[in-house]
Amino acid sequence: MSTLARVPPHVLGGRWLAGVTSRPGQIQGHWRCGLPAPVQVSCRFDVVMVVGAALTRAVLDELNGSGQVIGPVLYDHDAETSSWLVPVRPGAAWQMPSTVLMTAPADGREPPLVSLPAPGVGRVGALEWLVQPDGSGTLTRHSDLAVALRRARPALKISSPRSQTCPAPARRPDPDPNRSVRRAR
């Protein structure tokens, strides 16, 4: 049995994430301090941000139910957004409601940064991996994510990007019980 087979997937995922930059030691330094690390998109992956806890759960359920491969997915409990790591597609158009594609700008400016916690450590601040990177380099395909978004949306009857049909994730009770009332207006 090879030594590699005994390394936990989250450790391999951390190595893979740190290796997407020219300074893996800097990424690992953030993680050793218990902080998320700023990682530039468009090196090995782009990010599709999906707005809403209910939509995120519905898309995960749709992809799991259809047997599609799911790459790393990060959830921000404060912003109620999920970040799906997808393959880099230079110049690709992405037009899906309640989502934003983070990729290298066409004008040559620096690509945006995303804050990524170390895999395997649980929640770091508001950030938590729903699907951890496992070191394989597996990413969610754009087409699979788009189909899952199209199928999930009607079931939720989303009328605006921020409307929610179900509460925030159960592990994080809302400290402001009036927040859902304000959002509905």
Side-chain angles (χ1 to χ4, degrees):
M1 180 176 264
S2 75
T3 306
L4 193 60
R6 287 183 255 144
V7 177
H10 71 273
V11 172
L12 296 174
R15 289 178 188 164
W16 178 79
L17 274 180
V20 303
T21 71
S22 59
R23 299 182 194 146
Q26 188 177 36
I27 302 298
Q28 293 165 338
H30 278 82
W31 292 344
R32 276 191 297 276
C33 293
L35 301 170
V39 176
Q40 197 172 54
V41 301
S42 296
C43 291
R44 290 199 192 153
F45 58 84
D46 283 340
V47 172
V48 172
M49 291 183 65
V50 175
V51 176
L55 183 56
T56 294
R57 283 193 301 271
V59 169
L60 273 171
D61 289 346
E62 180 65 39
L63 287 168
N64 280 321
S66 66
Q68 299 301 325
V69 174
I70 303 173
V73 181
L74 182 68
Y75 190 74
D76 182 326
H77 290 272
D78 288 345
E80 294 184 359
T81 59
S82 56
S83 296
W84 298 70
L85 277 56
V86 297
V88 175
R89 289 191 341 186
W94 178 264
Q95 300 292 324
M96 294 293 297
S98 303
T99 69
V100 174
L101 174 64
M102 296 177 67
T103 189
D107 62 8
R109 287 180 290 138
E110 287 290 311
L113 297 172
V114 291
S115 292
L116 303 178
V121 297
R123 189 167 163 176
V124 177
L127 302 175
E128 178 179 24
W129 289 105
L130 298 178
V131 178
Q132 294 190 52
D134 61 6
S136 68
T138 299
L139 301 170
T140 303
R141 292 180 11 183
H142 293 87
S143 57
D144 294 341
L145 183 56
V147 168
L149 282 160
R150 283 188 204 102
R151 288 182 178 163
R153 191 174 315 284
L156 296 176
K157 298 179 184 166
I158 292 178
S159 60
S160 72
R162 281 299 210 182
S163 68
Q164 298 289 314
T165 57
C166 63
R171 284 185 278 179
R172 181 172 183 257
D174 193 345
D176 180 359
N178 297 317
R179 188 163 99 176
S180 61
V181 172
R182 284 197 307 267
R183 213 183 286 135
R185 289 183 186 157

